[in-house]
Amino acid sequence: MDTASNTRITVKPSGAALAADIVGLDLSRPPGQDTYAQIRKAWNDHLVLRFRGQKLDDPQFLNFARLFGELDSAPIHAGKDVVNPYPEITVMSNIKVNGKSIGNLGHYEAVWHSDMSYNERTPIGSLLYALEVPPVGGNTGFSNMYAAYDTLPAELKREIVGKTCRHDSSRNSAGELRKGFKDVADPREAPGANHPIIRTHPETRRNALFLGRRQSAYINGLPLDESEDLLNRLWAHATQPAFEWYQVWQVGDLVMWDNRSAMHRRDAFDPDTRRLMHRTQIKGDQPFFDPATA
Ligand code: OGA
Ligand code: MN
């Protein structure tokens, strides 16, 4: 890899509905202005970027992330023992030290979601950096929500124009209850934020389906059974393999994704193997729908 100058990068699209590799960059050193502009453009074009073969400590990881904006603090976790090395870093891991989990999500499957969408202001993107990976499993899937929106049947599009959805904040993407939250049986009573289902991306001005998480979601203003039915149809459409790409992790991979236009999930893996990732997230704005784009 020619990273000597940190200026000649190549964007290699995955060939799937989203994601590209950025080749030729050492992220431990700041990229030049032109390179940075290329990365930003590639991020808007491909939604998910992968940088392989990196060697970063936490401050270098955070410095790279800060190029894209102010960082958000880590979310509230389910595990009682988890201590993050920095307030902006979430440790994603199944590793236990003296019987205590050092990270979040364990070895479980994480269902499709957009990070922290249950907040009023949602992170524009997240960065995940692989320090240890299991020999098999634990792959992370990404799904293009512009494509999901663009291909919605016209009738379904009409049904969701102007509608908002409640994004439940009580559970994480492994379905675990977060610290300090109580279990809700009725989605209408779930805590969280309300966001437009059709979300206009502030930079590309393209519309995306913005669904958050399926569990305890609720479409405001509808009777519960109609909300469930509409959500089921939207999720069935949004989770088609044609919109997906899967990241098979190697140590030193840094993957960054746009939370406004992509969802992600994770496969479970063997609990007797180790996986260790550091994640950070870039503070964002309040999701909106611009009617002029429809
Ligand atoms: C995340 C996340 C999945 C993974 O970091 O937000 O969902 O692959 N991680 O660990
Ligand atoms: Mn996530």
Side-chain angles (χ1 to χ4, degrees), residues 100-180:
K100 295 186 171 185
S101 302
I102 64 159
N104 296 282
L105 292 186
H107 66 280
Y108 310 111
E109 175 186 354
V111 296
W112 286 111
H113 66 281
S114 174
D115 288 329
M116 297 162 76
S117 69
Y118 44 81
N119 291 338
E120 293 297 330
R121 291 167 169 269
T122 66
I124 67 170
S126 308
L127 295 85
L128 190 59
Y129 177 59
L131 295 154
E132 290 187 58
V133 302
V136 287
N139 301 335
T140 307
F142 295 90
S143 184
N144 184 334
M145 291 298 105
Y146 292 135
Y149 174 75
D150 290 342
T151 57
L152 269 184
E155 178 198 308
L156 205 44
K157 262 188 196 167
R158 268 197 304 276
E159 273 187 83
I160 57 174
V161 170
K163 289 207 169 63
T164 61
C165 180
R166 169 94 42 75
H167 294 236
D168 174 24
S169 57
S170 65
R171 288 179 181 278
N172 70 14
S173 50
E176 303 166 305
L177 210 55
R178 296 178 200 276
K179 262 194 281 186

Side-chain angles (χ1 to χ4, degrees), residues 156 159-160 163 197 219 222 225-235:
L156 205 44
E159 273 187 83
I160 57 174
K163 289 207 169 63
I197 300 174
I219 299 181
L222 293 186
D225 58 338
E226 285 180 32
S227 164
E228 289 290 312
D229 174 67
L230 182 48
L231 283 168
N232 288 342
R233 284 183 286 137
L234 289 171
W235 277 92

